[in-house]
Amino acid sequence: MERALEASPLFSGMTGQEARMCLACSGAFEEQHGKGALIFAESDPPERLYVLLEGAVNVCRESTEGRRAVMARVDAPGDLFGEVHVFLGRPSYGCSVLAETPVRILGIPARFFYATCEKACSVHSRMIRNMLGIFAHKAFFLTRRISLLSCGSLRRKLAALLLEHRRPDGMVSLAMNREQMADFLGVTRPSLSRELAAMRDEGLLQMEGRSIRVPDIASLNFLCEYFPA
């Protein structure tokens, strides 16, 4: 648990002891679920948010025809899920979460974030501020994604994404594989692979395995009309 709490943005700026104090005050509890287990259903009331301690879960939605679509995968220790839904004021989560692997999770009652406790402890306030920071980060991420998806062609979207994550040495630092990149850009995996291969053949990219390098930033800038601030 310690490693997950240290990695979680929810406990940023806290010592291990302070994080445990917050958890004790909140009434949080640890759960374990086997592979395929339902952690919460779409119709369940959103009374808790969760911190992943170990394993991986899938956030899903059911279509009217009964088909299940995976909206997101959570697999990093310390990551949250269910946190948005507990603040929407709706009677249910509106999505379900299934254990992709055996998992350990931490459930934190939502009421803990609505006010500080009687002791007005600083760590409680810190946790609330951290949650606001998490929501701000999500809003920024979604704004960037909308901007990216409005670029037009797949090539321009790719150029903008690669430039945004290009390091000074030309390497692209993306915390996603090709499948996740395709989902992020709203295209199929084969379409993404074809475009990456075409850009490589034209000398716009250099690829080796999963590594991508942008040798000439000017070419991609010109391609997507991207001008850094």
Side-chain angles (χ1 to χ4, degrees):
M1 180 186 292
E2 294 294 333
R3 186 169 71 91
L5 296 185
E6 288 175 3
S8 177
L10 187 58
F11 302 97
S12 176
M14 297 186 194
T15 64
Q17 181 180 0
E18 289 172 334
R20 288 190 295 272
M21 284 172 54
C22 260
L23 294 177
C25 185
S26 70
F29 56 90
E30 184 177 331
E31 298 179 2
Q32 296 189 36
H33 297 275
K35 180 179 179 180
L38 178 67
I39 295 171
F40 60 74
E42 291 190 30
S43 57
D44 287 348
E47 297 173 347
R48 301 179 186 87
L49 58 91
Y50 295 88
V51 180
L52 182 71
L53 300 178
E54 185 179 291
V57 301
N58 289 319
V59 181
C60 308
R61 287 289 299 272
E62 297 279 351
S63 70
T64 53
E65 294 82 17
R67 290 194 297 270
R68 178 177 292 153
V70 176
M71 300 167 58
R73 182 177 188 268
V74 181
D75 60 3
D79 276 357
L80 307 182
F81 60 93
E83 75 280 10
V84 173
H85 308 282
V86 299
F87 296 104
L88 288 178
R90 296 180 179 177
S92 62
Y93 281 104
C95 65
S96 59
V97 173
L98 297 170
E100 182 182 304
T101 66
V103 296
R104 289 173 54 235
I105 58 176
L106 192 64
I108 304 177
R111 65 178 182 275
F112 183 69
F113 295 91
Y114 283 96
T116 55
C117 60
E118 298 80 7
K119 299 176 183 178
C121 52
S122 61
V123 289
H124 191 162
S125 300
R126 176 73 193 192
M127 199 172 184
I128 294 173
R129 289 198 302 273
N130 286 345
M131 179 59 74
L132 292 173
I134 289 167
F135 286 146
H137 180 78
K138 284 180 178 289
F140 177 77
F141 174 83
L142 290 174
T143 300
R144 294 295 297 162
R145 187 178 184 191
I146 291 170
S147 176
L148 185 67
L149 293 178
S150 66
C151 284
S153 69
L154 173 55
R155 178 165 292 202
R156 291 184 66 187
K157 292 175 185 176
L158 260 174
L161 179 65
L162 297 175
L163 284 172
E164 183 175 340
H165 293 275
R166 180 185 181 273
R167 301 197 308 249
D169 63 359
M171 297 302 296
V172 175
S173 179
L174 268 174
M176 59 179 81
N177 58 32
R178 297 289 190 271
E179 190 71 37
Q180 293 167 330
M181 192 187 302
D183 289 342
F184 183 80
L185 294 173
V187 299
T188 64
R189 169 68 183 272
S191 297
L192 175 68
S193 297
R194 283 194 298 270
E195 194 59 58
L196 284 171
M199 294 174 75
R200 176 200 61 202
D201 294 343
E202 294 171 29
L204 295 171
L205 305 176
Q206 295 173 355
M207 294 192 295
E208 183 176 344
R210 292 188 175 184
S211 299
I212 300 176
R213 184 174 183 274
V214 177
D216 181 8
I217 190 172
S219 296
L220 291 196
N221 272 331
F222 179 78
L223 176 64
C224 68
E225 298 176 0
Y226 174 85
F227 299 96

